[in-house]
Structure formats: C-alpha cells, structure tokens
Amino acid sequence: MRPSISKIINLLCLLCGSMFFVEINAQVKMPAIFSDNMVFQREVKIPVWGTAAAGDKIDVQLGKKKVSVITDALGKWKAELSPFKAGGPYDLKISGKNSIIYKNVMIGEVWICSGQSNMAMEVREIGDTCNNKQEIADADLPYIRFFTVDPMTAASPQSDLKGRGWEVCDTNTVKRFSAVGYFFGKKLYDKLKIPVGLINSSYGGTDIEAWTSSQSLKTISYFSDILQSIKLYSENDAAFLEEYNRKREEWKSSSMNTDPGFPSSGITWKDTLLDVTSWSKIIVPCLWDQQELKEFNGSVWYRKEIEIPSSWSGKDLILNMGPIDDIDVTWFNGHMLGSGELWDKPRQYIIPATLVKAGRNILAIRCIDTGGPGGVWGEAEQYYISNSLNEKIQVAGEWLYKRTLPINEFPSRPTSFENPNCPTVLFNAMIAPLIPYSLGGVIWYQGENNTYTALRYRTLFPLMINDWRSKWGIGDFPFYFVQLANYMNINPEPAEDTWAELREAQLMTLKVKNTGMASAIDIGDAIDIHPKNKREVGNRLALIALAKLYGIKDEFSGPVYRTYKVEGNSVRIKFDHSKGLKVQGNKLLGFAVAGDDKKFRWADAKIEGSDVVVWCNEILKPVAVRYAWASNPVCNLYNAAGLPASPFRTDDWKVLTEDFLKE
C-alpha cells in the first residue's frame, strides 16, 4: 500500500525539523561573558571557550594570533591564546560551522567586583556625596569597560549566566555600574593609562556561604546536611521534593500558630477591629534596623489605614510594594492577598473588588526576618495602590508596628533553595560561569549579612578566597576587600558588638597570601547601611592594588595593630603602617581599657612617635585594650596618608558570636 501524500509531507517536515535542530546545535555558541567591547587580562594566557558539535574543529583568532582546537564528545571546547601586552582594539573571531566576530576587544587589567549590596550599589544611587553629577559628566572614558552579571541563583554550577554584555564607559552606562567598582577602575586607569575591564558579580543582602562552592563547604561538617539536600534538590529527586514541600507547608502553618498575632480565639492582628493603641510608629519604606529594632530578627507586624475614594469602591485594585526582607504575608481588610519569600523582590498583589469599600480600609503585613537587616524597604514610590486608570494612592510614610517572636522562638524552617542566602547558590550561578575568564584580581565588599556569625567568618572568608583561586587555577591572584563601614547608633559605653567581631574576622584574613584590606570605619552612615561615599572606598581599594601589584609605592593602608606591652598603669600599642600617626580632631578617641575583671572603660590615649600609649585612671593594672570596638565607633587615629586605623582588640576573650566549628 502506497503512503499517502499527507504522510510523505509529514515525514519530510519531521526530517527537515530534525536537520534544523542538528544544524542549530552544531553551531558555535559562546557564553554571555564574551561580547563586543570586552577586555582580556594582559600578559597572561587568554582562555576562550564555548560549545559546538562534537568533533568539530574550532579556530580562534585575536588580532594576528590564532589557535585551533577540537570539541570533545559533549561539544565543549576551550582554547588558550598566548599573552598580549596592553592595547587594542582587536577583533576576536571564532569559527566552526559558523563564525562569530567580537569587535572592539581590548587588552588590559580585568577585575571582578563582588559582594553584597554595597558593591552592587550603582553610581546613580550614591547621590551627590561624591560630586556625583560632575563624575558622571566626566565619565566618557572609552578604555574603561563594564560587565554586570544579573543576580540569580542555582542549585548546581552553571555554564552560563545573564548580563547586558560588555559596555564602554560613558555618561549613560556609568550610571548603572557598581559605584565602588567604577571608582576603583577609574583610579587604576588614571594611574596606569591602560584599558580596565570590570566585572560586577554582586547580590545584595547575601551571606558568604552562598558565594562558596560545595567542594569547599563540604570540608566543614556543619554544612554536610544542607549540601546533601541541595544536591537532591538539583537532581529533582522525587522523594526528597515531596518531603521538602510537605515541611515547607508545615512551617508556614506552625509559624502562624505560634505567633501572638494569631490568638486561639478573638480578634487577630490582621483584623480591621483590632485595638492598636499600644502599637508604635514606624516609617515605610525603611529597614527596621535603621529605626527602633536594631539587630532584631523575627516577626514584626505592620498596619496602616488607607482611605479609599467612593469612586474606587467595589473595583479590583492592585497593591504595589517594594522588597520585604525576608518573608511577608499581606492582608487587606482582614483577607489575605498573598505572600512572598525573597527579601530583595518587590511585591504586587491584587485586591479583589469584594474587599474594596469607600473610606477606611486596613492594610496589614506580617514580616519575618530570618537574619541580617529586616523590614519593609525600598523606595517610597514603589508603595502605592492603583486602579484600572492607573490612578494611585501612596501608602509609603508613617505606619504602625508591633514585634512578636524573635527568630530563635520560631519552629525550624526548611531551607529555600531559591533564596540567595542558601549555601553555594551564588557561586553556582554568578561565579562558576565566569571561570576561567582571564583576570588580574578581585575586589570584595561583603560581610554585613554575616555579622551574626562573625566567628564563622574567620573560617569562611579565607575558605572562599582559596576556593575561587583553586577554581581559576592561576595561582594566588590578588584579593582585596573592604572592612565594614561604621553604622547604627553610637554606644555611650564600651560594649560587645557583632559588627566589631566581623571587622576583626576581616582583619584576620590579611594572613591569607596576597590579600589587602581597605578600612571604611570613618566613611559610613549611622542611619544607612548603604553609605554613599563610594568614591573613597574605591580609591582606597585602588591604593592597595597600585602599591602591591603595580609598583606605585605610596602608603595603601591605615595603621594596623601589631603588638602591645603593659607599662605600669598604661599600655603601649605598636602598629604597622604607622608613619606619621595623627589625630583627626583635638583628642584621641575610641580606646577602651580593661583590667582582670574584663570590664572595659573609656581610656585616654596619646601618640608617641609611631606608637600609641593608652591608660585609664580607674584601672591601675590594665590587661587589655580595644579600639573602635563598636558598630559605629567614635574614633580618629590616622596615619600621614590620611588613612584610618583599623579597629582591633588585644584580648581573645569570649565574644557574642559563636564559631560553628565548636558547636
């Protein structure tokens, strides 16, 4: 029996489709980090990699240098071009069954800029603290190039990422780039006069564990269980996913059942008839750590009365809000609108017409923060209710709040593997795809999110640095970092402090080979965890690179504690980087002394040459000294280069945070 014409046509279509699929997959494909305007690191081998059909020959040519490779059984290939001196522009041509040409490629210095929100903060976001309008107007600098990695997470290492491609620095593109990264790169370019490529791979509000690979974290038994769970999740293990989803639903129910906002009988805190006379005022949007709830992690309720005009009554509305850190459940007139779990994502909920009435309406939010800063935050213009005509009622401003349970009284919560603070997920999504791109070094601004686990940071920070170095396999490349800026209220008396402990962990990381630290202890903001003076931060990082890597031997660090010696009722402190010690102001401030009782009291201090002598008349036998040991210390010791002394302590007494290696 002859096949019908329709069957023959269908067969031909199927064959053509298969051939097209094979042809598409046979073509050379390149990762997103390769684009026009890119910069390669000078004077090192230049890796170029991608995919094509298995067994294909791939030709890679940059300028006059050319190399050929054969793809492996999976179609993967990697070529290495011999080193170039700084210069350009060049064309990079990759040829297989198809050809890709990247234009305006430069050779110079390439740096990864990584960390959390203070590295992510863009030039356009820093206001005019740094004469920003003029900086932007002067930013036509074609030898500086940017690549910004889109924030994302992944449960397993990825081969590619997303981004806008490499951009040439000008008055428009500079606005969207990391401010710290830009000022760092600009300083390098001003001094070196060679191309500078900056790769911004940062994600706000994130823990260092998220930036570290599973291979490194598994060397610490503390992470064994979570790493196994991440592995099963990434493999879509059916039994694991069923149990995981069940536990997540159980947690949601139990966390509400234990909250005082949900009494076993009577009016709940979401209801319109609730008496709120005992509630306090709070500003939205603003992290609660910047208001009355410093260092609180747990559940906080927010409420606000909204006046709805009669013309909106009985119509569907949309509630728009900025990000909520971390988890919210939101109600309108006592009815749940929705919930979200990602701390950095804006919320949008539909308000059904049946709930909307003219006059007084109640908006209620239950916010749970699991660690680090928390609250209802973002920009004021993100908070509004809108109708179908896009008319708006603003809901930013004064709200009422009441805190309930601290996080340690909550039932244990299953890890969210989409959460950017889940171990390994940022390394997998935002660092692994960059490897083995040629680079000169890394600058890093992170730690705010780890202040509650500062002793762990002593282990985790060096672990991450060595992790990245081992993955790139190009030796101990430079890794320079920012010591946390001053932030929050000033303590009237010496006290233990988690931010001080985190800064100490950063200071201790200088023991790792080829690292450098820029202190920001004097350029923070008491009420803003994102201080605006990013130019000074970038410049201080650049000073380290210029001195340690590029041979410009200017001072690059403020005074760093070396040793102490008790001399009667005083203590003599010696420093590195102590040339020209000076006080900024009339009196040396920030020192505290303790005796055998381990109770610190404010101390007097004076400079003697390159030393500082410290004493307290109330303590005849001092045994320990601390300097700038607070979240927001009042301190003013500098060296001749105008760089601030790093906070330190001479004791090793028990502190607030615990080390997981001892748990």
Side-chain angles (χ1 to χ4, degrees), residues 531-549:
K532 300 295 192 293
N533 190 357
K534 294 297 190 277
R535 178 169 60 188
E536 185 63 22
V537 176
N539 286 346
R540 289 179 184 180
L541 286 166
L543 284 176
I544 303 171
L546 291 168
K548 299 189 72 169
L549 188 61

Side-chain angles (χ1 to χ4, degrees), residues 136-183:
I136 291 172
D138 294 339
D140 280 318
L141 300 167
Y143 288 103
I144 298 177
R145 312 289 176 85
F146 311 129
F147 185 97
T148 300
V149 178
D150 288 354
M152 59 186 70
T153 64
S156 60
Q158 302 297 293
S159 60
D160 204 359
L161 42 70
K162 294 180 181 179
R164 294 190 296 264
W166 284 88
E167 298 176 303
V168 176
C169 180
D170 61 32
T171 57
N172 288 316
T173 59
V174 72
K175 297 175 185 177
R176 302 191 300 270
F177 196 70
S178 160
V180 170
Y182 169 68
F183 288 117

Side-chain angles (χ1 to χ4, degrees), residues 436-617:
Y437 197 86
S438 61
L439 73 147
V442 172
I443 57 172
W444 175 259
Y445 194 160
Q446 188 273 341
E448 297 91 342
N449 241 54
N450 283 96
T451 54
Y452 298 97
T453 54
L455 259 64
R456 300 181 183 186
Y457 207 81
R458 295 183 185 182
T459 300
L460 291 173
F461 193 17
L463 181 74
M464 190 206 75
I465 294 171
N466 290 323
D467 180 36
W468 289 20
R469 287 172 170 173
S470 68
K471 291 292 189 293
W472 254 274
I474 55 174
D476 296 326
F477 55 73
F479 198 106
Y480 306 144
F481 54 90
V482 181
Q483 189 181 45
L484 292 187
N486 51 307
Y487 171 58
M488 293 189 283
N489 296 328
I490 295 173
N491 289 333
E493 298 296 333
E496 301 298 342
D497 190 274
T498 59
W499 279 60
E501 293 171 29
L502 194 286
R503 293 190 191 106
E504 180 181 52
Q506 292 174 319
L507 181 65
M508 295 170 74
T509 304
L510 287 176
K511 297 175 184 177
V512 177
K513 184 179 180 181
N514 208 8
T515 56
M517 183 182 76
S519 177
I521 197 63
D522 60 333
I523 49 177
D525 189 321
I527 61 172
D528 192 348
I529 200 171
H530 305 115
K532 300 295 192 293
N533 190 357
K534 294 297 190 277
R535 178 169 60 188
E536 185 63 22
V537 176
N539 286 346
R540 289 179 184 180
L541 286 166
L543 284 176
I544 303 171
L546 291 168
K548 299 189 72 169
L549 188 61
Y550 302 118
I552 299 176
K553 297 303 182 183
D554 293 332
E555 180 58 88
F556 61 88
S557 172
V560 174
Y561 165 71
R562 187 199 313 160
T563 61
Y564 79 101
K565 181 181 180 182
V566 177
E567 298 177 345
N569 68 340
S570 65
V571 181
R572 181 174 296 273
I573 307 293
K574 291 187 176 294
F575 299 87
D576 295 320
H577 306 283
S578 58
K579 183 178 179 180
L581 287 185
K582 61 182 180 180
V583 178
Q584 193 171 90
N586 297 321
K587 181 181 179 181
L588 195 51
L589 302 171
F591 286 91
V593 170
D596 289 329
D597 62 359
K598 298 184 179 181
K599 294 181 179 179
F600 282 90
R601 296 171 175 82
W602 293 126
D604 293 307
K606 65 179 180 179
I607 295 170
E608 289 188 355
S610 58
D611 301 343
V612 171
V613 177
V614 185
W615 72 96
C616 175
N617 292 331

Side-chain angles (χ1 to χ4, degrees), residues 13-137:
C13 289
L14 180 62
L15 288 171
C16 289
S18 299
M19 291 172 65
F20 177 76
F21 178 78
V22 170
E23 181 65 24
I24 288 294
N25 281 276
Q27 292 187 346
V28 175
K29 295 180 181 178
M30 298 295 292
I33 190 62
F34 294 92
S35 77
D36 293 342
N37 308 315
M38 70 183 119
V39 182
F40 289 130
Q41 177 64 31
R42 62 173 172 159
E43 298 173 6
V44 299
K45 291 181 179 180
I46 299 173
V48 181
W49 69 96
T51 59
D56 275 4
K57 179 186 176 186
I58 306 297
D59 297 319
V60 178
Q61 183 171 355
L62 181 64
K64 295 181 180 180
K65 295 185 179 182
K66 184 176 180 180
V67 63
S68 298
V69 294
I70 303 297
T71 62
D72 66 16
L74 298 176
K76 297 179 180 180
W77 60 270
K78 186 180 84 168
E80 283 190 339
L81 293 159
S82 58
F84 280 68
K85 292 187 179 298
Y90 298 99
D91 286 351
L92 173 66
K93 184 177 181 180
I94 299 101
S95 302
K97 286 188 170 65
N98 62 305
S99 293
I100 299 173
I101 299 176
Y102 298 114
K103 295 186 175 296
N104 196 25
V105 177
M106 307 299 289
I107 310 295
E109 287 298 310
V110 178
W111 287 79
I112 290 177
C113 314
S114 190
Q116 55 182 104
S117 52
N118 272 307
M119 182 62 82
M121 193 173 187
E122 298 175 350
V123 171
R124 62 183 172 180
E125 296 176 313
I126 63 174
D128 209 32
T129 303
C130 307
N131 192 20
N132 205 35
K133 291 180 181 178
Q134 191 61 48
E135 286 284 357
I136 291 172

